[in-house]
Each structure stands twice: as structure tokens, then as C-alpha cells.
Amino acid sequence: WVATPSSAGTFSGTGLTGTLAASNTWNGAFTVKVAGANACGNGPYSAELACTLYHQPVVYSLYAGGGYCDGTAGYDVKLEDSETGINYELYRNGITTGTILAGTGDQLSFGPQTEGEYTVVATNGYCTGNMMGVAQVYVIPEPAQPAQPSGPASVCNNTVSSYSVQLPASAYWLVWTLGPPDAGTVSQPDLTTAEINWNEDFSGTA
């Protein structure tokens, strides 16, 4: 059994069936021919069978995904790399989204996507392959309104006062504001506490 060109792959077996180990670095047209053999050598080769070698798409990884703010378009789902001549189809929860991108030889962006689990299937029209990983996309809700901070309502200037509040739902941290700005400076010793170092030159309502 012989494959031509030899760079297409190599055959094993000397029986009625030959097994081709296809090359991982070559694709395109090739031919197969076979000759009978005995103790005296090989006979004439058969007519050549015209074949075409197609490669399975290289497996690349999807980025893991992430969250997007409620009310925005979504989270940008990306594939780390791609091949030219390969099409990449995006699936959401196992159902096609209808988005198919042609490979560029570089990273692919499928654009903002809404909540769900995303996978990608690649094809060259003959062979298909599942890309590695799942991009999990989720909504980050707007933080709830916190309660009024607790702390002293009357203080002396040139001192430090401590104020605290419960972390509201869906909030990861707090943003403290002091007005007017020249009343003092704000620091945050921990997640739910603010300390105000009052300006010695300020008096009035803050």
C-alpha cells in the first residue's frame, strides 16, 4: 500500500485492508495505490485512487467567561485562537446562536452575550471539533441602596469620628462621600466602616 505524496501519511498492513496514518502537518489531494507481493517481489501497482485529506480542527480554549452589569449588552465571549479555513459556531446552553465566525489565525471575539453557558464547535465542512472549555456568562445586579450610616451626629473639629453601615445586597465594597470636601478626610479601616478626620478649620453641617 502506498500514499502519494508520502507526506500525506503512511500505510500499515499487508492484507486486503491497508490503514493510513494521516499526517498531522499536511492536507489536500493524495492518491492510494496497491500492489500484490509474493516471495519473488512486488507485482505492478493498481490504478491510483484519488483522495482528499482533511484535518480535524485544532482544539483551542474558550476564555472562562464572566459577569456583565444588568442593563448592558452582555459579556464578550472569546476563543483564544483560530485557524484560517475553519468556521467557528457559537452555542448557548447547547443550542446554536446562529453566530458563525471564519477563523483568522488569531483570537476570535463573538461579541457581547447574555446569561448562559457558551461552547464553540469548529468545522472545515468535512471534519468538526469541539473547542475546549465553557464560557459561563452571568448578570451582575445593581447594588441595593444601603441604610443611613450610623455614627455621631455632633462632633468636635480636629478629631476622628467613626461611621458604619451594613453592606447592601449585591455590593462588593462601599463608596463613602463627605461633603463639603474641606470638612475633613475619609479613610476606610475595614469594609463597612469609615473614619473621618475632621478639619480643625471647619465648622458647620457636613
Side-chain angles (χ1 to χ4, degrees):
W1 294 88
V2 177
T4 305
S6 59
S7 52
T10 56
F11 271 102
S12 61
T14 57
L16 297 179
T17 301
T19 302
L20 176 68
S23 168
N24 289 325
T25 58
W26 189 92
N27 65 81
F30 70 102
T31 61
V32 174
K33 61 184 179 182
V34 64
N38 61 20
C40 297
N42 295 346
Y45 278 100
S46 68
E48 293 183 328
L49 173 68
C51 304
T52 305
L53 177 63
Y54 297 96
H55 276 293
Q56 289 278 66
V58 174
V59 176
Y60 297 113
S61 293
L62 275 168
Y63 289 104
Y68 64 97
C69 296
D70 196 8
T72 61
Y75 184 88
D76 191 4
V77 173
K78 295 179 181 179
L79 185 67
E80 66 171 352
D81 207 344
S82 65
E83 295 178 277
T84 57
I86 303 291
N87 288 328
Y88 297 85
E89 186 169 6
L90 182 68
Y91 286 74
R92 177 179 180 267
N93 299 333
I95 301 171
T96 181
T97 63
T99 300
I100 301 174
L101 300 181
T104 62
D106 206 344
Q107 181 186 91
L108 290 182
S109 170
F110 291 91
Q113 305 296 326
T114 56
E115 191 171 15
E117 292 185 346
Y118 290 86
T119 54
V120 170
V121 176
T123 181
N124 57 17
Y126 295 90
C127 308
T128 61
N130 295 323
M131 298 297 97
M132 186 179 298
V134 176
Q136 183 74 49
V137 176
Y138 55 91
V139 179
I140 302 173
E142 182 179 347
Q145 184 180 26
Q148 185 182 58
S150 60
S154 298
V155 297
C156 297
N157 65 351
N158 203 24
T159 61
V160 176
S161 303
S162 181
Y163 297 85
S164 63
V165 71
Q166 290 284 336
L167 193 68
S170 302
Y172 300 151
W173 61 86
L174 293 169
V175 178
W176 293 85
T177 303
L178 177 64
D182 62 349
T185 56
V186 181
S187 61
Q188 292 181 244
D190 58 50
L191 183 62
T192 57
T193 303
E195 288 185 347
I196 300 175
N197 187 356
W198 297 102
N199 187 342
E200 63 180 4
D201 297 324
F202 176 81
S203 65
T205 301

